[in-house]
Amino acid sequence: MGVGPEEYRRALRRFATGVTIVTVHSDDGPHGMTASSFAAVSLEPPLILVSLEKSSRTRALILEGGTFAVNILGVGQESISREFATRGDKSFENIPHELGVTRAPILAGSFAWIECTTKEWIDAGDHDVVIAEVIACDVGEGEPLVYYDRDYRTIKDL
């Protein structure tokens, strides 16, 4: 007895999640991808986890460089999430950002951001789960952007 992909996706759509953009800097510039699988792991030491698709360029660059940032998006940043959810290289040209201590892009207007160094990589099917230590973080203003049942929402919508 097994679970098919459509049945599994349908069940996962019932879980409301925050929206993040994982960013990394490389020799050929900034890269990023939308990631909904993100969680806090530990307060002491401060650890997070993020799940990265094995075929993504961003994942390969994080594996190579060992550092990245997680940008937690706020209401009004849906278009950024959509841009970074598509396959292929993304342009940071029209997305205001600054470089953090790891040189990973910190997106302007993010609800919060967290910069990390990788600690452990766990093979998880078509993704890798990355455990990382937080080395810098900050919070912005506003409300978080939420993804639920195949659509972007606000806390008030739920």
Side-chain angles (χ1 to χ4, degrees), residues 9-143:
R9 283 187 188 103
R10 197 171 65 245
L12 291 177
R13 288 179 193 132
R14 296 298 185 191
F15 183 67
T17 182
V19 182
T20 70
I21 306 293
V22 175
T23 57
V24 61
H25 191 275
S26 72
D27 291 341
D28 62 342
H31 293 267
M33 62 179 275
T34 298
S36 59
S37 296
F38 160 79
V41 173
S42 168
L43 290 175
E44 290 294 329
L47 299 174
I48 59 103
L49 71 77
V50 65
S51 179
L52 303 174
E53 187 175 9
K54 286 185 178 175
S55 64
S56 81
R57 174 91 170 117
T58 300
R59 176 211 161 269
L61 292 170
I62 292 170
L63 182 60
E64 180 182 305
T67 61
F68 64 96
V70 177
N71 295 268
I72 302 170
L73 299 189
V75 171
Q77 293 184 302
E78 178 181 330
S79 63
I80 295 172
S81 176
R82 289 186 188 280
E83 169 72 20
F84 283 89
T86 60
R87 292 202 177 273
D89 287 337
K90 286 43 165 214
S91 172
F92 280 77
E93 186 175 312
N94 295 319
I95 299 174
H97 67 280
E98 57 187 51
L99 300 181
V101 295
T102 66
R103 298 192 34 85
I106 305 299
L107 305 180
S110 291
F111 187 60
W113 58 264
I114 301 167
E115 281 191 272
C116 306
T117 58
T118 61
K119 292 296 178 198
E120 186 175 350
W121 289 76
I122 302 164
D123 180 18
D126 57 3
H127 282 64
D128 282 329
V129 175
V130 180
I131 307 290
E133 185 166 1
V134 176
I135 60 169
C137 61
D138 202 359
V139 298
E141 298 293 323
E143 294 183 42

